[in-house]
Amino acid sequence: MGRYVIRRLLQAIPVLLGATLLIFAIVFALPGDPIRALAGEKPPSPQVVEVLREQYHLNDPLLLQYWYYISGVLFRGDFGTTFQNVPVGDLMKATFPTTLQLALTALMIQAVIGVGLGLWAALRRGKAEDTMILASTLILISVPTLVSGFVLQLLLGVKLGLFPIAGTSEGWYSFLLPGFVLAGGSIAYLTRLTRTSLVETLRSDYIRTAVAKGMNRRRVVGRHGLRNALIPLVTFLGADLGNLMGGAVITERIFNINGVGSLLIRGVYERQQPIVVGVVTALVLVYILANLVVDLMYAVLDPRIRYE
Amino acid sequence: MRVTKGAQIVAGAALLALAVAACGGGASTGSSGAGSGETPVRMEVGEPQHALVPGLTAESEGAEILAAIYDPLVNYNENKQADPNVAESVSTTDNKVWTIKLKQGYTWHDGTKLTAQDYVNAWNWVARKSSAADATGFMAKIDGYADLNPEGEGTMETVKEMKGLKVVDDTTFTVTLASPFSQFGLMLGYTAFYPMHPKSWEADGKLTAAAQEQPIGMGLFKLDKAYKKGTDQTIDLTVYDKFTGTKPKNWTKLQFKLYTSSETAYNDLQGEQLDIHDSIPATQLSSAKSALGERYHDDPDSAVGYIGVPLAYNKDYQNADVRKAISMAIDRKTISEVVFSGSRSPADDFISPVVDGYRQGACGEACTYNPTAAKELYTKAGGPAKIELGYNADGGHKEWIEATANNLRQNLGVEVEAKPFEKFASILESLQNKEYSGLFRMAWSYDYPSPENYLRPIFGKIAIANGSNYGGYDNPEFDKLVDQGDQAATADESVKFYQQADDVLLKDLPYIPVYFYRTNWGHSTKIKNVSLNLLKQVNWAAVEKA
């Protein structure tokens, strides 16, 4: 088991290295001069462009530039700097915890609401509640974050004053509303997934056996039904953590949260290779770890699955 | 079962680690700013492009913050003229040698006396090639600037000081310009001309880390703590108690809140979580008028929007009548009022209404919507059958460019293609590489409030290689008139020459002026007496808490 984890982590190393080179090359291939683009619509003075291009090795070939970058990361733990001389390591340190907090809040919200609603719908299959839940998830899934974000911000934040409007100055409380907005689509998806998975499990032979043995309904559904139905849900939640972290751009913008998504977008837009490579590599790492945790969770949920 | 237990522990530990990491982050990012009990006056800004260094700042957001930390040599009054501020006097007899005397009593935030040397040091640093300072262009008119910026890649300056800057005594210095420039006094209120604290540099001439993160200023406000760019979401300041100028009556704490979306900032303003918002988005303008009432303001802004003409790249547009016909076919009123929801006003001059020298309606017939006359003129002048209209897709220009394209299509009966480019710089690259030779959108906001700034940097011959003359317009008569304005003995006289140069442009229409920008801003009920100066910066000393 320990050996399995170590093997998985070792496998991650070439993946991460390959990812950095690939992303570095992609950003390199973007058209236009990043230093000129920085200056916006007024032309920067030619001497400024010249000095900065030199300073950030922009005149060197791709592989040499990559070597400057990756040797810094590997040997000095230095993730490079932006063209404004801000260490990328500092930017990542500032944004990752914030976005992780947002993503975990969203994950909790979607797990509680999604699984709860799905459970309810499955137990009331075919009845009015079931239809209602399915219909409302359809609405939830079709409202884009941009709309739900602004509407909820205006309604619950500005008009009713229930939640902070924007920013993260009130700790966990400030993440509730953005977390809910971010979770929106996933809640709907998770509800449907839970419902289908549970309905299917409840039809199986061992459930019928358990009921026939006279076991009480709560125990049949909770212990025998839900636990087995959880496997696809855990897979979904694990993969979703990565999505929530890298894909929270719109939510972060609406709620003025200084997060990974906004940092990444800025990096791409300004062609700041160190930002893009650093952030994407860290996101790849998040995906790898989340997948590992998901795989280990399988073993917890289903004793038949073993890793050696 | 052994495996299951192990997996449980690992999975549990992993989740715990994630949760702990998240909590730790929450504490560090949750900075609410002001330590004392006073609620600060809070203003919206975008993230500054650079560290808080005057010479590195050539954009509005950083300039807004620096304006609180520093006090300019001159202020601009309601008549659009410069009044001495930190300077006691700014004088010249020949527009070439300028003497600047400082007022007594100004100190840096650490108590050190402000001296003339602090200005000279700062300006020399900004001018040096090795500093790669964004605002370096502001120093280009000073004698000796060229010595600090040797040509050739990798060649750095050997001379460290401009010969045009001379300290006379502790509070006096002289500036000699390379050639006479009557508008130099008007430039001095700008960010690039702030002084810098004597301890801002390491022994090797590089800026210290402290000078970049927590500069010691000499203005109304002092930074509470170092500003970490990209990490901090607020910048907190407190009134400097030894400041000799006017201080706010009943408050001492100021906070800049960094936003990425002006819509979000507007919601915060409505919820009274923000006190001043100076870029209310166009989509919210109609609701802002009713929601904010008297707290909503609509001021002219320095920026002008044009349709650029690639005179040097495309023969089709070389007949001035073709350009005039295109200009007359554009419905400026509808574009300003409908497409921009009133956040623009129709342009009727090359010089913006915010500076001295603007003449209402100067553009006359050429800027007046007249489809019939436009069509007639266009046909007579033999305009091209197909017009391309390039714009950068990153700045919200699509709507008005499409509207303009429709105008031209309908009124001139030609084929029009609105062509998106990734960034503004990509349009320029394509023009220079001769891959694109159509019309292009263009805008200009001033660097200093002088009519000259709307002329030479965009249309002068020198600006083709070294400036923003992207169309390649070249007219010796125009250049001569601007020169005369630069050398005129009095302010009034120079404005007259600039207006004559403007007349040349209005006749030639090297670019087609379409609209003037407006600044749409508002404030909360918690403060009153809020006003913006000519540079669109808040007059903090006048602001009162309600």
Side-chain angles (χ1 to χ4, degrees):
Chain A
M1 181 24 234
R3 201 180 278 175
Y4 173 76
V5 173
I6 289 168
R7 200 174 69 225
R8 284 283 296 265
L9 290 179
L10 285 178
Q11 277 168 359
I13 294 173
V15 174
L16 286 175
L17 274 178
T20 55
L21 180 59
L22 190 67
I23 299 153
F24 202 89
I26 290 173
V27 182
F28 184 85
L30 288 178
D33 180 342
I35 300 289
R36 269 176 214 285
L38 268 191
E41 304 202 349
K42 293 210 175 178
S45 90
Q47 34 322 2
V48 171
V49 175
E50 180 205 315
V51 173
L52 290 179
R53 284 194 68 91
E54 184 74 16
Q55 193 175 333
Y56 292 103
H57 306 297
L58 291 174
N59 297 323
D60 294 332
L62 169 65
L63 282 176
L64 193 59
Q65 285 192 38
Y66 178 70
W67 170 249
Y68 286 130
Y69 173 76
I70 201 73
S71 61
V73 175
L74 293 179
F75 305 135
R76 296 190 301 276
D78 171 9
F79 285 90
T81 64
T82 65
F83 297 132
Q84 293 93 359
N85 213 18
V86 179
V88 173
D90 288 1
L91 293 178
M92 282 164 50
K93 243 185 271 165
T95 50
F96 265 89
T98 315
T99 298
L100 193 62
Q101 198 171 358
L102 176 64
L104 285 181
T105 312
L107 210 60
M108 294 294 268
I109 291 174
Q110 73 190 47
V112 171
I113 301 183
V115 174
L117 283 181
L119 191 67
W120 194 22
L123 295 179
R124 299 265 159 188
R125 189 161 62 92
K127 302 215 172 84
E129 292 100 318
D130 184 25
T131 321
M132 222 173 65
I133 287 171
L134 286 183
S136 51
T137 55
L138 204 63
I139 297 171
L140 203 58
I141 219 164
S142 51
V143 176
T145 321
L146 195 65
V147 175
S148 62
F150 271 120
V151 168
L152 290 178
Q153 182 181 51
L154 201 62
L155 212 64
L156 302 179
V158 179
K159 299 275 186 249
L160 298 175
L162 293 177
F163 292 96
I165 301 167
T168 54
S169 56
E170 288 176 44
W172 280 100
Y173 192 48
S174 5
F175 286 96
L176 270 184
L177 193 57
F180 180 77
V181 169
L182 184 59
S186 298
I187 291 179
Y189 189 73
L190 202 61
T191 305
R192 289 170 164 248
L193 196 64
T194 311
R195 181 185 172 278
T196 319
S197 174
L198 194 59
V199 163
E200 202 169 300
T201 316
L202 289 182
R203 278 207 202 109
S204 56
D205 291 346
Y206 61 87
I207 297 285
R208 201 179 310 133
T209 311
V211 175
K213 276 190 342 194
M215 214 177 254
N216 74 31
R217 189 173 146 80
R218 185 177 294 262
R219 199 168 158 77
V220 171
V221 173
R223 186 81 187 156
H224 296 268
L226 193 58
R227 183 162 168 178
N228 282 299
L230 274 178
I231 290 187
L233 305 186
V234 167
T235 315
F236 172 75
L237 283 175
D240 210 33
L241 178 66
N243 283 336
L244 292 175
M245 288 209 61
V249 189
I250 295 171
T251 313
E252 283 171 4
R253 209 178 133 84
I254 295 174
F255 292 97
N256 205 33
I257 293 170
N258 185 26
V260 174
S262 324
L263 181 63
L264 186 58
I265 287 287
R266 206 179 72 198
V268 173
Y269 185 73
E270 295 176 358
R271 266 196 61 184
Q272 306 248 24
Q273 269 158 331
I275 295 185
V276 183
V277 178
V279 170
V280 175
T281 311
L283 284 176
V284 170
L285 193 65
V286 170
Y287 269 104
I288 290 175
L289 289 180
N291 268 326
L292 183 59
V293 172
V294 166
D295 285 349
L296 296 176
M297 290 290 282
Y298 287 164
V300 179
L301 294 170
D302 187 347
R304 285 169 303 184
I305 299 170
R306 280 157 193 259
Y307 300 115
E308 269 317 327
Chain B
M1 237 22 220
R2 189 180 58 84
V3 175
T4 314
K5 272 276 178 285
Q8 267 171 342
I9 290 164
V10 172
L15 281 177
L16 194 69
L18 286 178
V20 168
C23 289
S28 68
T29 46
S31 57
S32 61
S36 81
E38 185 186 324
T39 316
V41 171
R42 298 151 302 181
M43 177 171 185
E44 171 269 350
V45 288
E47 187 180 280
Q49 274 269 338
H50 286 278
L52 297 175
V53 177
L56 295 180
T57 303
E59 42 84 32
S60 60
E61 308 306 298
E64 178 81 54
I65 298 163
L66 286 167
I69 306 171
Y70 292 87
D71 207 22
L73 281 169
V74 299
N75 269 333
Y76 303 103
N77 62 26
E78 279 137 31
N79 299 326
K80 301 159 184 174
Q81 299 300 329
D83 283 338
N85 181 43
V86 175
E88 193 177 83
S89 66
V90 176
S91 55
T92 181
T93 49
D94 57 358
N95 288 330
K96 194 163 189 277
V97 184
W98 294 71
T99 308
I100 300 169
K101 264 188 188 316
L102 304 179
K103 278 184 190 141
Q104 296 286 345
Y106 270 93
T107 54
W108 292 99
H109 293 155
D110 65 352
T112 323
K113 209 171 151 245
L114 174 75
T115 66
Q117 188 68 47
D118 299 335
Y119 283 91
V120 172
N121 288 347
W123 297 7
N124 275 328
W125 180 80
V126 176
R128 264 170 230 155
K129 185 176 179 183
S130 58
S131 311
D134 273 17
T136 183
F138 286 91
M139 302 298 156
K141 294 195 186 292
I142 300 174
D143 192 22
Y145 177 82
D147 306 339
L148 272 62
N149 288 275
E151 298 218 354
E153 231 163 274
T155 0
M156 284 302 156
E157 74 279 352
T158 44
V159 189
K160 297 278 174 195
E161 277 142 23
M162 290 186 281
K163 58 177 183 258
L165 293 180
K166 286 216 169 62
V167 175
V168 178
D169 59 45
D170 252 12
T171 54
T172 318
F173 65 107
T174 60
V175 184
T176 309
L177 304 181
S179 57
F181 185 48
S182 60
Q183 309 296 298
F184 185 67
L186 276 171
M187 294 175 79
L188 294 173
Y190 205 74
T191 322
F193 294 97
Y194 293 154
M196 280 169 80
H197 190 270
K199 292 208 186 103
S200 299
W201 296 276
E202 309 269 10
D204 63 358
K206 288 213 161 57
L207 283 182
T208 62
Q212 298 181 53
E213 288 179 351
Q214 193 171 10
I216 301 170
M218 35 68 85
L220 179 51
F221 295 95
K222 192 177 165 172
L223 280 169
D224 286 351
K225 60 180 180 57
Y227 161 61
K228 298 267 183 212
K229 185 176 148 55
T231 304
D232 290 344
Q233 290 298 90
T234 62
I235 297 172
D236 299 287
L237 309 107
T238 310
V239 165
Y240 172 50
D241 41 344
K242 293 207 191 78
F243 185 70
T244 47
T246 330
K247 287 185 229 169
K249 254 188 211 150
N250 54 1
W251 57 281
T252 61
K253 295 265 182 203
L254 174 65
Q255 180 179 65
F256 289 105
K257 290 177 89 171
L258 273 52
Y259 287 89
T260 42
S261 146
S262 54
E263 274 89 0
T264 304
Y266 178 67
N267 277 347
D268 254 355
L269 179 71
Q270 283 183 301
E272 302 269 301
Q273 299 300 308
L274 182 72
D275 296 313
I276 305 176
H277 185 5
D278 69 353
S279 52
I280 296 178
T283 48
Q284 306 280 9
L285 285 186
S286 48
S287 79
K289 270 175 212 155
S290 54
L292 300 175
E294 283 188 344
R295 293 180 285 118
Y296 172 80
H297 300 267
D298 178 15
D299 293 347
D301 185 89
S302 79
V304 184
Y306 316 89
I307 298 283
V309 184
L311 291 171
Y313 305 101
N314 194 333
K315 284 201 175 64
D316 290 349
Y317 300 107
Q318 274 172 358
N319 184 344
D321 279 345
V322 172
R323 306 193 289 271
K324 188 174 169 191
I326 293 175
S327 176
M328 284 159 72
I330 299 172
D331 185 357
R332 293 173 171 75
K333 198 162 152 17
T334 307
I335 289 175
S336 304
E337 284 166 14
V338 181
V339 181
F340 283 115
S341 327
S343 63
R344 303 283 191 275
S345 59
D348 52 5
D349 195 355
F350 274 95
I351 296 171
S352 155
V354 301
V355 301
D356 195 17
Y358 162 74
R359 292 162 297 167
Q360 195 174 0
C363 185
E365 190 192 37
C367 295
T368 312
Y369 185 48
N370 188 345
T372 341
K375 170 105 201 225
E376 217 170 277
L377 189 61
Y378 194 80
T379 320
K380 212 175 86 193
K386 188 185 176 204
I387 295 178
E388 282 182 303
L389 212 48
Y391 66 98
N392 46 316
D394 63 348
H397 298 296
K398 187 171 193 283
E399 290 77 13
W400 81 268
I401 287 293
E402 294 282 1
T404 307
N406 274 333
N407 276 165
L408 300 183
R409 215 170 277 140
Q410 283 164 9
N411 301 332
L412 302 178
V414 291
E415 196 187 325
V416 185
E417 189 195 349
K419 205 171 169 184
F421 286 80
E422 187 203 3
K423 290 181 182 138
F424 187 69
S426 342
I427 306 181
L428 299 183
E429 265 171 51
S430 301
L431 277 173
Q432 270 152 18
N433 299 341
K434 313 230 183 286
E435 292 156 2
Y436 177 71
S437 62
L439 305 178
F440 55 93
R441 78 146 279 276
M442 152 87 190
W444 178 261
S445 66
Y446 64 37
D447 297 316
Y448 43 92
S450 154
E452 184 268 348
N453 199 236
Y454 290 93
L455 306 173
R456 199 194 296 276
I458 329 173
F459 303 111
K461 187 172 184 193
I462 188 171
I464 296 177
N466 222 332
S468 297
N469 188 348
Y470 306 130
Y473 174 69
D474 178 10
N475 184 339
E477 187 193 352
F478 167 81
D479 278 318
K480 199 174 137 227
L481 286 165
V482 178
D483 282 342
Q484 282 173 314
D486 288 357
Q487 288 155 17
T490 66
D492 284 347
E493 224 174 284
S494 53
V495 167
K496 284 212 183 76
F497 281 117
Y498 293 138
Q499 286 177 336
Q500 287 174 29
D502 183 35
D503 287 334
V504 175
L505 293 183
L506 290 167
K507 191 165 65 62
D508 282 354
L509 290 175
Y511 284 1
I512 297 162
V514 182
Y515 50 75
F516 296 132
Y517 285 66
R518 315 224 15 119
T519 302
N520 304 95
W521 60 281
H523 63 88
S524 73
T525 57
K526 294 185 175 165
I527 52 172
K528 54 183 187 183
N529 268 346
V530 192
S531 58
L532 305 187
N533 65 18
L534 204 57
L535 297 179
K536 299 293 153 228
Q537 291 157 353
V538 180
N539 298 311
W540 292 114
V543 173
E544 280 178 61
K545 277 205 173 170

